Amino acid sequence: MAVKPRETFGSRMGMLLAMAGSAIGLGNIWRFPYTLGKNGGAAFLLLYVIMLVFICLPVMISEYLIGRRGASNPFRTFDKLAPGSKWRWIGFIAVLASGCILSFYCVVGGWSVKYLVDAVSGSLMSFGGDYADFFGAFISNPWEPLTFTLIFLGITGLIIAFGVRNGIERMSKIMISVLFVIIVLVVIRSLTLPGASAGLRYMFVPDMSKIDANTCVAAMGQAFFSLSIGCGCILTYASYVKKDENIAASAAWISFFDTGFAVIAGLAIIPAVYAIAAMNGVEPDVNAGPGLVFITLPGVFSSMPLGNAAAVLFFLALLLAAITSAISLMEVLAAYIIEELRKSRAMAVIISFVLCGVVGMFCSLSFGPLDGFKLFGLSVFDFFDYITSNIMLPVGGLFLALFAGWRLKRANFIDELTNGGALKMPRWLSLTIYYLVKFVAPIAISVIFLNCILS
Ligand code: PHE
């Protein structure tokens, strides 16, 4: 079967929004607040920002640059840029990582579908009890979460089946604006609840004694996860980008938006946790884990005027944000299957759906019937979350930076960064980026890992 010419994004804006859509997702709204809560609040945030600048931005630029230059799926890209070398296995690991992430991501995506359905039917707001019980009862039931997981995965597959321009680009445009407006409304409500200021202090006044080797790994993992870097998503999207894009500027914008969104989501949730705990006279539990958003926010909505409408809009936006990220993950698998295994797009979608659906099933059941089953002391869900975010993505990022910094050669790197000299970028800037990629990011990632292994 002849491979059709590759699609490209229709416009610069569409490309930026699709990448931002990949980055902005459950990672910001669901994972960031509870990881921040688990890892000591402000100190974690500070570490996060430092890693963003010195590790993640250089890695994102590397991945973008490699993707645009190779214009293929991750596996073939490395084969094209370094023919016959072992580098192609980095591409393969990236494809694998994307599949593993999608497998647990679709479970949380399924939770969003469920909450949206319940918000629309009114049963979420009329529940009246403790939302921890509501959430607990839902996820421990074997069938319901599983059904929603598959629905979420099915929607994702359907969009992918439509291809780059009609599917991915169009969807990403609408969702970011809706999400932003709603979340700002929730922040306002959350911050005006009595007792919210303790939450603000937790988020912004760092307690350095909270930092240890594990916090560093957690902050690095969260940053990689949230920015969608290290697993070929940015690489695959970049392969659809035209050659006149300003890589460094796009990467900086995406990181800025993504982090802004995470902090705003934190502001919507953490102060509310404190306020609600103060109201009930209990200790705030920001360490509630993956359920945090699904437990806290319904509580906030039920205490605000027009709460039901806010809940509907919020869970709709959350779902859209999750979908635009999930499609970037499935597109990595699809591009690989189409180009390497020579299957049609529709077939690629079906294969991805089945693979991720099966693993996703185990992740979903690990909150219920498979509760007692542990891998290295973690539930199946936590295991996939941990190994992908904290290990596979940073390792992927390490190799992407090493490839861009050492294998591509300085002249090629700068040439790609400046679009063959067409972009007027000051020399000091391109060199700084180059050295961040070549030395700073790889050394920093290695040190963080070593520190964790040795501690
Ligand atoms: N960045 C996405 C989010 O924040 C998740 C994701 C991770 C997407 C890795 C693609 C690759 O939800």
Side-chain angles (χ1 to χ4, degrees):
M1 189 186 75
V3 178
K4 279 192 273 171
R6 286 173 71 78
E7 277 190 271
T8 57
F9 282 113
S11 66
R12 165 151 209 272
M13 199 58 190
M15 176 283 298
L16 266 182
L17 285 176
M19 285 204 191
S22 166
I24 296 172
L26 296 171
N28 308 60
I29 303 164
W30 158 75
R31 200 176 188 280
F32 179 79
Y34 89 78
T35 312
L36 179 101
K38 218 160 81 185
N39 290 285
F44 174 87
L45 185 57
L46 189 67
L47 271 182
Y48 182 92
V49 173
I50 296 173
M51 296 201 187
L52 187 77
V53 176
F54 292 102
I55 299 179
C56 297
L57 209 57
V59 168
M60 187 186 261
I61 292 174
S62 310
E63 186 167 346
Y64 198 141
L65 195 141
I66 294 170
R68 191 178 70 173
R69 204 172 167 85
S72 294
N73 67 74
F75 189 73
R76 182 161 312 188
T77 288
F78 286 101
D79 214 24
K80 265 188 177 169
L81 300 181
S85 72
K86 295 220 164 36
W87 284 101
R88 52 168 29 175
W89 293 107
I90 306 300
F92 186 76
I93 291 172
V95 176
L96 194 69
S98 295
C100 292
I101 294 177
L102 185 56
S103 302
F104 76 86
Y105 203 85
C106 63
V107 173
V108 187
W111 298 349
S112 323
V113 180
K114 149 85 178 171
Y115 270 62
L116 175 61
V117 170
D118 282 8
V120 171
S121 76
S123 59
L124 186 64
M125 287 298 105
S126 61
F127 170 67
D130 184 344
Y131 282 100
D133 299 336
F134 182 92
F135 181 70
F138 164 58
I139 56 167
S140 57
N141 171 315
W143 295 111
E144 212 191 348
L146 196 57
T147 312
F148 283 112
T149 298
L150 295 180
I151 293 178
F152 178 83
L153 207 53
I155 303 175
T156 308
L158 215 60
I159 298 173
I160 291 295
F162 280 101
V164 177
R165 243 183 237 196
N166 289 332
I168 301 177
E169 196 170 331
R170 212 176 267 172
M171 267 296 296
S172 306
K173 281 188 187 164
I174 315 164
M175 138 268 151
I176 295 181
S177 8
V178 178
L179 186 63
F180 186 76
V181 173
I182 300 292
I183 210 154
V184 166
L185 289 179
V186 182
V187 169
I188 294 172
R189 175 61 218 172
S190 174
L191 289 179
T192 49
L193 288 169
S197 59
L200 276 182
R201 230 170 297 127
Y202 183 77
M203 268 188 83
F204 294 114
V205 182
D207 170 1
M208 290 307 177
S209 67
K210 296 256 167 71
I211 295 183
D212 62 17
N214 289 326
T215 328
C216 292
V217 172
M220 179 163 76
Q222 173 59 30
F224 271 81
F225 184 85
S226 189
L227 292 173
S228 306
I229 53 179
C231 64
C233 283
I234 297 290
L235 189 154
T236 304
Y237 274 12
S239 75
Y240 304 125
V241 162
K242 299 192 183 118
K243 296 285 180 196
D244 57 357
E245 226 33 79
N246 184 340
I247 295 181
S250 307
W253 270 114
I254 294 163
S255 311
F256 176 76
F257 272 125
D258 186 69
T259 307
F261 245 97
V263 171
I264 294 174
L267 277 176
I269 291 154
I270 305 283
V273 173
Y274 276 80
I276 292 173
M279 258 181 259
N280 299 333
V282 294
E283 274 297 300
D285 184 14
V286 280
N287 196 358
L292 189 62
V293 171
F294 294 94
I295 294 169
T296 309
L297 284 188
V300 177
F301 292 134
S302 64
S303 76
M304 61 195 257
L306 294 178
N308 202 20
V312 171
L313 285 175
F314 176 81
F315 287 110
L316 176 66
L318 183 67
L319 177 61
L320 293 177
I323 289 176
T324 51
S325 300
I327 55 184
S328 73
L329 288 161
M330 197 185 269
E331 181 61 22
V332 176
L333 296 182
Y336 175 80
I337 297 172
I338 295 169
E339 291 172 6
E340 299 309 316
L341 309 182
R342 301 280 172 146
K343 303 279 184 228
S344 66
R345 192 165 258 279
M347 196 60 201
V349 168
I350 295 173
I351 297 175
S352 314
F353 177 88
V354 172
L355 289 178
C356 296
V358 170
V359 183
M361 185 174 85
F362 285 100
C363 293
S364 177
L365 291 176
S366 73
F367 290 98
L370 291 185
D371 196 1
F373 179 71
K374 302 279 182 232
L375 291 166
F376 299 96
L378 297 170
S379 72
V380 182
F381 181 96
D382 288 341
F383 175 76
F384 273 95
D385 184 353
Y386 189 91
I387 53 156
T388 51
S389 309
N390 293 1
I391 300 173
M392 289 173 104
L393 296 184
V395 169
L398 171 66
F399 283 107
L400 284 162
L402 287 176
F403 187 86
W406 296 84
R407 174 79 202 213
L408 271 189
K409 305 273 178 308
R410 185 163 119 178
N412 290 333
F413 184 97
I414 306 252
D415 187 62
E416 197 67 44
L417 198 64
T418 57
N419 299 340
L423 270 182
K424 294 289 157 253
M425 183 182 282
R427 182 115 184 111
W428 66 264
L429 184 59
S430 51
L431 281 180
T432 307
I433 295 176
Y434 177 67
Y435 286 115
L436 279 172
V437 166
K438 188 169 175 131
F439 296 112
V440 178
I443 293 175
I445 298 173
S446 313
V447 168
I448 292 172
F449 273 138
L450 278 181
N451 190 18
C452 185
I453 292 167
L454 299 178
S455 72

